[in-house]
Amino acid sequence: MRLGRHELTLEPRPALPAVYAVLGAVVAILLALVLASVLFLSADAPLFAAYRTVFSYAFFNPHGVLATAQRSIYLLLCTYAFLVPLRAGLWNIGLPGQVYAGALAAFAVPFALRATGSPPALPAGVLVALMVAAAATAGAALGGFAGLLRARLQVNEILVTMMLNSILVWLVAYMIKEGGPFMGATAEGESFSLPPPLYAPLLQGVPFTALLALGAAVFLDLLFAKTALGYRIRAFGENPSAARYGGIIPVTLSLFVFLLGGAFAGLAGYHYFAAVPGVYKIPGNYGYYGDLGFYGIISALIARGSSLGAVPIAVLFAGLSLGARFAQGALRLPFGVDYALLGLLMMTFIASHVLYQFRLIWRRVEAQAPAIAAEMSRE
């Protein structure tokens, strides 16, 4: 960008130690909180009381901590759904659709086995395991469809996954609303509620899916760092032409990463609709949870492809979104404060990410020779 006799350019920065990335993230958080103070002051809310309400509910209140943990699990699974294809240079934007597919498949198990009201014919543990498997399979199938089109026909995966999102939104509406097969007994635009025997096992109030999410973080980092398959995925993502020359098969690889990513998104659908205490159904505002899945994309980008690095980011996003929503009601703040706070946090994180990889150069532009300037003016 040129300003008078000076120009501002963005140039690649030499590799920096990882500690600079951590410092950049801390500065990004502080800057987002400073900017968010404008929201609180514009609503005549006491500034320190607002921050205290946000953080105390999200990270110190017993109910808030549980809610933060449950939302963090959801965001982590969505993060993996985007992160795995990203390491192969592919973009999985279909997180909401795959989440809905997983939720529908999970609820299809008790519906098909007539275990929604009467005592289940199979042991509850078996049914829960079937629900988890069905959710992962449905998410993988939807993701794999996009991966197959990309691998075989070179169809843009972003367009395909976005169209699948729209299809699944309407499919959920058909299934749970008036006259739908999964419609609840009250006919209030929600699905049937799971019977208590099918509630997911809890560990200190947190669904067992927390173990899946944390175990997957370790598994994925080891996969990409220590295995030949992970090396092939990374090689394909960094240079597809060289990877093909080296014998890597793009079709198989593209399909694999989308299958695995879709399976994680399907598990996220099972987690939030079938495992979180107090939900146990597909609610009428299911679209909110689908949109929430997009924060998994931001978490994966900020974590720079590290699944373990995404854990604290997901916890932060989950806690601040819940804390800001709680403060909105407690302090009578304007609607949408939680979205605004997350938006500010995303912008400052992305700015820190850019400045970690690039540097701003402000330089003076040398004056052009008179003859060249005259020649350019004639043109």
Side-chain angles (χ1 to χ4, degrees), residues 29-126:
I29 295 170
L30 295 176
L31 181 59
L33 295 177
V34 169
L35 294 174
S37 63
V38 177
L39 299 173
F40 300 136
L41 291 175
S42 63
D44 295 328
L47 189 58
F48 291 104
Y51 283 126
R52 186 174 63 248
T53 303
V54 171
F55 282 93
S56 62
Y57 178 77
F59 301 111
F60 298 100
N61 182 289
H63 300 291
V65 168
L66 282 179
T68 298
Q70 291 154 3
R71 183 164 292 190
S72 301
I73 298 167
Y74 176 75
L75 291 182
L76 268 179
L77 292 170
C78 289
T79 299
Y80 306 151
F82 177 78
L83 185 146
V84 174
L86 181 67
R87 298 301 297 263
L90 301 172
W91 288 65
N92 180 14
I93 310 297
L95 308 183
Q98 293 153 20
V99 164
Y100 299 146
L104 288 176
F107 278 75
V109 171
F111 176 80
L113 297 177
R114 302 182 185 280
T116 58
S118 56
L122 295 175
V126 174

Side-chain angles (χ1 to χ4, degrees), residues 131-177:
M131 291 171 67
V132 173
T137 303
L142 197 66
F145 178 67
L148 186 64
L149 290 180
R150 170 67 181 181
R152 285 288 186 188
L153 305 175
Q154 294 299 305
V155 179
N156 188 292
E157 73 275 14
I158 297 176
L159 295 178
V160 173
T161 50
M162 290 181 68
M163 287 190 288
L164 289 174
N165 288 343
S166 298
I167 293 173
L168 265 295
V169 165
W170 289 105
L171 181 59
V172 174
Y174 167 75
M175 295 296 286
I176 69 172
K177 295 189 176 179

Side-chain angles (χ1 to χ4, degrees), residues 286-314:
Y286 62 90
Y288 169 77
Y289 299 99
D291 294 341
L292 194 64
F294 283 122
Y295 286 102
I297 297 176
I298 304 300
S299 297
L301 293 175
I302 294 172
R304 297 178 174 85
S306 168
S307 50
L308 281 174
V311 174
I313 298 169

